[in-house]
Amino acid sequence: QVQLVESGGGLVQAGGSLRLSCTASGRTFGNYAMGWFRQAPGKEREFVAAVNWIDSITYYANSVKGRFTISRDNAKNTLYLQMNSLKPDETAVYYCAATSRKNINLRGAGSFDSWGQGTQVTVSS
């Protein structure tokens, strides 16, 4: 498994932006599909975005499409999530995830086998 550490969370006003980072170690980063999920208090963990391992095709939840951008820098073993036009209901702990499995549904949390500890994002109204 790969070890993941998120950073970049914080407090931002509605309409503002944040960029999350996830640094990986332990395995060859480029062999992993990567994703971002979030979990608000009392709610289930939900898919935000993912990027495939071989062709870097990206996938987004409909709710963030056009505002969030997922990207990866394999040379730096780092995954990013640029979040723009943030909304108060997007307050949550954001988790980075990785999987080496192929031909899977990258929108499902169960497809990922390595998780970071999470970073808190708070959007004030």
Side-chain angles (χ1 to χ4, degrees):
Q1 289 188 345
V2 63
Q3 289 76 49
L4 305 172
V5 179
E6 302 97 334
S7 61
L11 174 64
V12 64
Q13 288 189 332
S17 299
L18 280 176
R19 189 176 81 156
L20 305 183
S21 299
C22 171
T23 301
S25 61
R27 294 287 189 216
T28 304
F29 181 70
N31 291 340
Y32 286 77
M34 304 292 296
W36 289 98
F37 290 76
R38 63 189 179 191
Q39 188 167 18
K43 294 187 177 181
E44 292 187 355
R45 191 167 297 189
E46 67 171 351
F47 170 75
V48 176
V51 57
N52 210 343
W53 70 283
I54 191 169
D55 48 19
S56 294
I57 291 176
T58 56
Y59 306 85
Y60 294 95
N62 288 336
S63 60
V64 307
K65 201 173 295 184
R67 298 185 297 117
F68 289 15
T69 302
I70 188 171
S71 61
R72 63 190 300 164
D73 185 336
N74 289 344
K76 295 182 178 179
N77 284 1
T78 303
L79 178 74
Y80 302 99
L81 184 68
Q82 177 67 43
M83 305 185 295
N84 298 329
S85 302
L86 281 160
K87 305 173 183 178
D89 63 0
E90 293 180 313
T91 294
V93 177
Y94 283 69
Y95 295 91
C96 170
T99 181
S100 59
R101 288 179 271 179
K102 308 298 187 291
N103 300 316
I104 55 173
N105 174 19
L106 290 179
R107 297 175 183 270
S111 296
F112 293 83
D113 42 36
S114 297
W115 292 84
Q117 82 289 348
T119 185
Q120 177 70 46
V121 172
T122 302
V123 185
S124 63
S125 57

